[in-house]
Amino acid sequence: MEYVFIVIAAIFVNNIVLSQFLGICPFLGVSKKISTAAGMAGAVTFVMVIATIVTYLIQKTVLDKFGIGFMQTITFILVIASLVQLVEIILKKVSPALYQALGVFLPLITTNCAILGVAIMTIQKDYNLMEGVVFAISSALGFGLALIIFAGLREHVDLMNVPKGMKGMPIALVVAGILAMAFMGFSGLV
């Protein structure tokens, strides 16, 4: 039952982008088309889960064991950047088609603070490895859900007659704020 609470809270109540305000750059930058938003969501899900597993193991086996927890942030950043590079190299060799599909998004993921945030929150919330993986998957799904909904809304808003001063990013920020308020409606679930 605890896993259900983690899933609902991570996707809807404490959405990583709409509630925690992590990953705003790709949320605003890659949300002009649903297809690119879906690609980014898939790439973030893949990297977020792997990064959470690796950073959790490093935290428990190295940082905690040797009492160097103060190195957490820099260690996690290096691990995430290395993982993204490793994934890029492996995909290029193993699956060129998948590499072409995700190729644009992989460098963007290196600087996505949502991945670092989920890795750190997994440790802060004192999750075990399985709970951390469920939290990472759920957070990535919540990120993807918000990103795809926002992309659909932006595509629709682009077809509307918007005042000149509100075109582009101003109307996108208004829509993002309304979407965040809509997700606040889920706060009574958990």
Side-chain angles (χ1 to χ4, degrees), residues 1-16 118 121-122 125-142 189-190:
M1 192 63 168
E2 183 163 332
Y3 294 117
V4 174
F5 289 132
I6 292 172
V7 170
I8 291 171
I11 293 175
F12 299 110
V13 179
N14 298 321
N15 186 288
I16 198 76
V118 168
M121 282 189 276
T122 298
K125 293 177 185 244
D126 202 27
Y127 287 150
N128 61 36
L129 183 58
M130 190 62 192
E131 290 169 338
V133 169
V134 169
F135 177 66
I137 292 170
S138 302
S139 294
L141 290 175
L189 290 176
V190 179

Short mmCIF file of all heavy atoms in Angstrom, two decimals, residues 1-16 118 121-122 125-142 189-190:
data_model
loop_
_atom_site.label_atom_id
_atom_site.label_comp_id
_atom_site.label_asym_id
_atom_site.label_seq_id
_atom_site.Cartn_x
_atom_site.Cartn_y
_atom_site.Cartn_z
N MET A 1 0.82 -1.20 0.00
CA MET A 1 0.00 0.00 0.00
C MET A 1 0.86 1.26 0.00
O MET A 1 0.46 2.27 -0.55
CB MET A 1 -0.92 -0.04 1.22
CG MET A 1 -2.01 0.97 1.18
SD MET A 1 -3.09 0.67 -0.20
CE MET A 1 -4.42 1.72 0.18
N GLU A 2 2.05 1.16 0.62
CA GLU A 2 2.93 2.33 0.66
C GLU A 2 3.40 2.71 -0.74
O GLU A 2 3.56 3.90 -1.04
CB GLU A 2 4.14 2.07 1.55
CG GLU A 2 5.02 3.28 1.67
CD GLU A 2 5.98 3.20 2.83
OE1 GLU A 2 5.67 2.53 3.82
OE2 GLU A 2 7.04 3.83 2.73
N TYR A 3 3.59 1.72 -1.61
CA TYR A 3 4.00 2.02 -2.98
C TYR A 3 2.92 2.80 -3.73
O TYR A 3 3.22 3.67 -4.53
CB TYR A 3 4.34 0.73 -3.74
CG TYR A 3 5.56 0.03 -3.19
CD1 TYR A 3 5.48 -1.24 -2.64
CD2 TYR A 3 6.80 0.66 -3.22
CE1 TYR A 3 6.61 -1.87 -2.14
CE2 TYR A 3 7.93 0.03 -2.72
CZ TYR A 3 7.82 -1.24 -2.18
OH TYR A 3 8.93 -1.86 -1.69
N VAL A 4 1.67 2.50 -3.45
CA VAL A 4 0.56 3.22 -4.08
C VAL A 4 0.59 4.69 -3.66
O VAL A 4 0.40 5.59 -4.50
CB VAL A 4 -0.80 2.58 -3.71
CG1 VAL A 4 -1.96 3.41 -4.23
CG2 VAL A 4 -0.89 1.16 -4.25
N PHE A 5 0.85 4.95 -2.38
CA PHE A 5 0.95 6.33 -1.90
C PHE A 5 2.13 7.06 -2.57
O PHE A 5 2.02 8.23 -2.93
CB PHE A 5 1.10 6.38 -0.39
CG PHE A 5 -0.15 6.02 0.36
CD1 PHE A 5 -0.11 5.12 1.40
CD2 PHE A 5 -1.37 6.58 0.01
CE1 PHE A 5 -1.26 4.77 2.08
CE2 PHE A 5 -2.53 6.25 0.69
CZ PHE A 5 -2.47 5.35 1.73
N ILE A 6 3.25 6.37 -2.72
CA ILE A 6 4.41 6.97 -3.37
C ILE A 6 4.07 7.34 -4.81
O ILE A 6 4.38 8.44 -5.27
CB ILE A 6 5.63 6.02 -3.31
CG1 ILE A 6 6.13 5.87 -1.87
CG2 ILE A 6 6.76 6.52 -4.22
CD1 ILE A 6 7.20 4.81 -1.70
N VAL A 7 3.40 6.43 -5.51
CA VAL A 7 3.05 6.66 -6.92
C VAL A 7 2.10 7.85 -7.06
O VAL A 7 2.34 8.77 -7.86
CB VAL A 7 2.44 5.39 -7.55
CG1 VAL A 7 1.84 5.68 -8.91
CG2 VAL A 7 3.48 4.28 -7.64
N ILE A 8 1.02 7.84 -6.29
CA ILE A 8 0.03 8.93 -6.39
C ILE A 8 0.64 10.26 -6.00
O ILE A 8 0.44 11.27 -6.67
CB ILE A 8 -1.22 8.61 -5.54
CG1 ILE A 8 -1.97 7.44 -6.15
CG2 ILE A 8 -2.13 9.83 -5.42
CD1 ILE A 8 -3.10 6.90 -5.30
N ALA A 9 1.42 10.27 -4.94
CA ALA A 9 2.04 11.52 -4.48
C ALA A 9 3.03 12.05 -5.50
O ALA A 9 3.05 13.24 -5.79
CB ALA A 9 2.73 11.31 -3.14
N ALA A 10 3.85 11.18 -6.08
CA ALA A 10 4.88 11.64 -7.02
C ALA A 10 4.29 12.10 -8.35
O ALA A 10 4.78 13.06 -8.93
CB ALA A 10 5.90 10.53 -7.25
N ILE A 11 3.25 11.44 -8.82
CA ILE A 11 2.68 11.81 -10.12
C ILE A 11 1.79 13.03 -10.01
O ILE A 11 1.90 13.97 -10.80
CB ILE A 11 1.90 10.63 -10.74
CG1 ILE A 11 2.85 9.50 -11.10
CG2 ILE A 11 1.13 11.09 -11.99
CD1 ILE A 11 2.16 8.25 -11.61
N PHE A 12 0.90 13.03 -9.03
CA PHE A 12 -0.14 14.06 -8.99
C PHE A 12 0.07 15.13 -7.92
O PHE A 12 0.02 16.32 -8.22
CB PHE A 12 -1.51 13.41 -8.78
CG PHE A 12 -1.90 12.46 -9.86
CD1 PHE A 12 -1.95 11.10 -9.63
CD2 PHE A 12 -2.19 12.92 -11.13
CE1 PHE A 12 -2.30 10.22 -10.64
CE2 PHE A 12 -2.54 12.06 -12.15
CZ PHE A 12 -2.59 10.70 -11.91
N VAL A 13 0.29 14.73 -6.68
CA VAL A 13 0.29 15.68 -5.57
C VAL A 13 1.58 16.49 -5.53
O VAL A 13 1.55 17.72 -5.48
CB VAL A 13 0.06 14.95 -4.23
CG1 VAL A 13 0.08 15.93 -3.08
CG2 VAL A 13 -1.26 14.19 -4.27
N ASN A 14 2.72 15.83 -5.52
CA ASN A 14 4.02 16.50 -5.46
C ASN A 14 4.73 16.40 -6.81
O ASN A 14 5.90 16.02 -6.87
CB ASN A 14 4.89 15.89 -4.35
CG ASN A 14 4.26 16.05 -3.00
OD1 ASN A 14 3.67 17.08 -2.71
ND2 ASN A 14 4.37 15.03 -2.17
N ASN A 15 4.04 16.73 -7.87
CA ASN A 15 4.59 16.65 -9.21
C ASN A 15 5.92 17.39 -9.25
O ASN A 15 6.02 18.54 -8.81
CB ASN A 15 3.61 17.22 -10.23
CG ASN A 15 4.06 17.03 -11.64
OD1 ASN A 15 4.98 17.68 -12.09
ND2 ASN A 15 3.40 16.12 -12.34
N ILE A 16 6.93 16.75 -9.79
CA ILE A 16 8.30 17.26 -9.75
C ILE A 16 8.43 18.63 -10.42
O ILE A 16 9.21 19.47 -9.98
CB ILE A 16 9.29 16.22 -10.36
CG1 ILE A 16 10.72 16.50 -9.94
CG2 ILE A 16 9.18 16.15 -11.85
CD1 ILE A 16 11.03 16.09 -8.55
N VAL A 118 15.37 14.23 -7.77
CA VAL A 118 14.79 12.94 -7.40
C VAL A 118 15.82 12.06 -6.71
O VAL A 118 15.51 11.39 -5.71
CB VAL A 118 14.18 12.24 -8.64
CG1 VAL A 118 13.84 10.78 -8.35
CG2 VAL A 118 12.94 12.98 -9.11
N MET A 121 16.16 13.52 -3.21
CA MET A 121 14.95 13.30 -2.41
C MET A 121 14.79 11.83 -2.01
O MET A 121 14.25 11.54 -0.94
CB MET A 121 13.70 13.76 -3.17
CG MET A 121 13.52 15.26 -3.15
SD MET A 121 11.94 15.78 -3.80
CE MET A 121 12.29 15.81 -5.54
N THR A 122 15.27 10.92 -2.85
CA THR A 122 15.22 9.50 -2.49
C THR A 122 16.01 9.25 -1.22
O THR A 122 15.57 8.50 -0.33
CB THR A 122 15.77 8.64 -3.64
OG1 THR A 122 14.95 8.84 -4.79
CG2 THR A 122 15.79 7.17 -3.29
N LYS A 125 14.25 11.22 1.88
CA LYS A 125 13.02 10.59 2.35
C LYS A 125 13.29 9.22 2.97
O LYS A 125 12.37 8.55 3.41
CB LYS A 125 12.01 10.46 1.21
CG LYS A 125 11.50 11.79 0.72
CD LYS A 125 10.56 11.62 -0.46
CE LYS A 125 10.15 12.95 -1.01
NZ LYS A 125 8.75 13.23 -0.88
N ASP A 126 14.55 8.82 2.99
CA ASP A 126 14.99 7.56 3.59
C ASP A 126 14.29 6.36 2.97
O ASP A 126 13.88 5.42 3.67
CB ASP A 126 14.79 7.59 5.12
CG ASP A 126 15.68 6.58 5.82
OD1 ASP A 126 16.75 6.27 5.27
OD2 ASP A 126 15.29 6.11 6.90
N TYR A 127 14.13 6.38 1.66
CA TYR A 127 13.55 5.25 0.95
C TYR A 127 14.57 4.13 0.84
O TYR A 127 15.78 4.39 0.77
CB TYR A 127 13.12 5.65 -0.46
CG TYR A 127 11.88 6.51 -0.54
CD1 TYR A 127 11.72 7.43 -1.57
CD2 TYR A 127 10.84 6.41 0.37
CE1 TYR A 127 10.59 8.21 -1.67
CE2 TYR A 127 9.71 7.18 0.29
CZ TYR A 127 9.59 8.08 -0.74
OH TYR A 127 8.46 8.85 -0.84
N ASN A 128 14.08 2.89 0.81
CA ASN A 128 14.98 1.79 0.46
C ASN A 128 15.09 1.78 -1.07
O ASN A 128 14.48 2.60 -1.75
CB ASN A 128 14.48 0.46 1.03
CG ASN A 128 13.11 0.06 0.49
OD1 ASN A 128 12.78 0.29 -0.67
ND2 ASN A 128 12.30 -0.54 1.35
N LEU A 129 15.87 0.86 -1.62
CA LEU A 129 16.14 0.87 -3.05
C LEU A 129 14.86 0.69 -3.87
O LEU A 129 14.63 1.40 -4.85
CB LEU A 129 17.16 -0.20 -3.42
CG LEU A 129 17.59 -0.24 -4.89
CD1 LEU A 129 18.19 1.09 -5.32
CD2 LEU A 129 18.58 -1.37 -5.12
N MET A 130 13.99 -0.22 -3.46
CA MET A 130 12.76 -0.47 -4.21
C MET A 130 11.83 0.75 -4.16
O MET A 130 11.25 1.14 -5.18
CB MET A 130 12.05 -1.71 -3.66
CG MET A 130 10.91 -2.17 -4.52
SD MET A 130 11.53 -2.63 -6.14
CE MET A 130 10.01 -2.77 -7.03
N GLU A 131 11.69 1.34 -2.99
CA GLU A 131 10.86 2.55 -2.87
C GLU A 131 11.46 3.69 -3.69
O GLU A 131 10.73 4.46 -4.32
CB GLU A 131 10.74 2.97 -1.41
CG GLU A 131 9.91 2.04 -0.56
CD GLU A 131 10.02 2.34 0.93
OE1 GLU A 131 11.02 2.96 1.36
OE2 GLU A 131 9.10 1.93 1.67
N GLY A 132 12.78 3.78 -3.72
CA GLY A 132 13.45 4.80 -4.51
C GLY A 132 13.20 4.62 -6.00
O GLY A 132 12.97 5.60 -6.73
N VAL A 133 13.21 3.38 -6.46
CA VAL A 133 12.94 3.11 -7.87
C VAL A 133 11.49 3.45 -8.21
O VAL A 133 11.21 4.07 -9.25
CB VAL A 133 13.26 1.64 -8.22
CG1 VAL A 133 12.74 1.26 -9.60
CG2 VAL A 133 14.76 1.39 -8.13
N VAL A 134 10.56 3.06 -7.34
CA VAL A 134 9.15 3.40 -7.56
C VAL A 134 8.96 4.92 -7.57
O VAL A 134 8.24 5.46 -8.42
CB VAL A 134 8.25 2.74 -6.48
CG1 VAL A 134 6.83 3.27 -6.52
CG2 VAL A 134 8.25 1.23 -6.65
N PHE A 135 9.64 5.60 -6.64
CA PHE A 135 9.57 7.07 -6.59
C PHE A 135 10.15 7.69 -7.87
O PHE A 135 9.58 8.63 -8.43
CB PHE A 135 10.32 7.57 -5.35
CG PHE A 135 10.37 9.07 -5.23
CD1 PHE A 135 9.22 9.81 -5.02
CD2 PHE A 135 11.58 9.74 -5.33
CE1 PHE A 135 9.27 11.19 -4.91
CE2 PHE A 135 11.64 11.12 -5.22
CZ PHE A 135 10.48 11.85 -5.01
N ALA A 136 11.26 7.16 -8.35
CA ALA A 136 11.88 7.69 -9.58
C ALA A 136 10.98 7.47 -10.78
O ALA A 136 10.77 8.39 -11.60
CB ALA A 136 13.24 7.05 -9.80
N ILE A 137 10.43 6.28 -10.92
CA ILE A 137 9.53 5.99 -12.04
C ILE A 137 8.30 6.89 -11.97
O ILE A 137 7.88 7.48 -12.97
CB ILE A 137 9.12 4.51 -12.06
CG1 ILE A 137 10.32 3.62 -12.40
CG2 ILE A 137 7.98 4.26 -13.05
CD1 ILE A 137 10.09 2.14 -12.20
N SER A 138 7.73 7.02 -10.79
CA SER A 138 6.53 7.85 -10.62
C SER A 138 6.82 9.32 -10.87
O SER A 138 6.02 10.02 -11.50
CB SER A 138 5.96 7.66 -9.21
OG SER A 138 5.67 6.31 -8.98
N SER A 139 7.95 9.80 -10.39
CA SER A 139 8.32 11.20 -10.62
C SER A 139 8.53 11.45 -12.11
O SER A 139 8.12 12.50 -12.64
CB SER A 139 9.59 11.56 -9.86
OG SER A 139 9.36 11.51 -8.48
N ALA A 140 9.17 10.50 -12.79
CA ALA A 140 9.38 10.64 -14.23
C ALA A 140 8.05 10.60 -14.98
O ALA A 140 7.84 11.36 -15.93
CB ALA A 140 10.31 9.54 -14.73
N LEU A 141 7.14 9.74 -14.55
CA LEU A 141 5.81 9.70 -15.17
C LEU A 141 5.05 11.00 -14.93
O LEU A 141 4.37 11.50 -15.82
CB LEU A 141 5.01 8.50 -14.66
CG LEU A 141 5.49 7.13 -15.11
CD1 LEU A 141 4.69 6.03 -14.44
CD2 LEU A 141 5.43 7.01 -16.62
N GLY A 142 5.18 11.54 -13.73
CA GLY A 142 4.55 12.82 -13.43
C GLY A 142 5.13 13.95 -14.27
O GLY A 142 4.41 14.80 -14.77
N LEU A 189 -5.64 13.77 -2.08
CA LEU A 189 -5.59 12.32 -2.27
C LEU A 189 -4.66 11.61 -1.30
O LEU A 189 -4.93 10.50 -0.88
CB LEU A 189 -5.15 11.98 -3.71
CG LEU A 189 -6.15 12.28 -4.82
CD1 LEU A 189 -5.53 11.99 -6.17
CD2 LEU A 189 -7.41 11.47 -4.63
N VAL A 190 -3.55 12.25 -0.98
CA VAL A 190 -2.55 11.59 -0.11
C VAL A 190 -2.30 12.44 1.10
O VAL A 190 -2.12 13.60 1.06
CB VAL A 190 -1.23 11.34 -0.87
CG1 VAL A 190 -0.21 10.70 0.02
CG2 VAL A 190 -1.49 10.45 -2.08
#
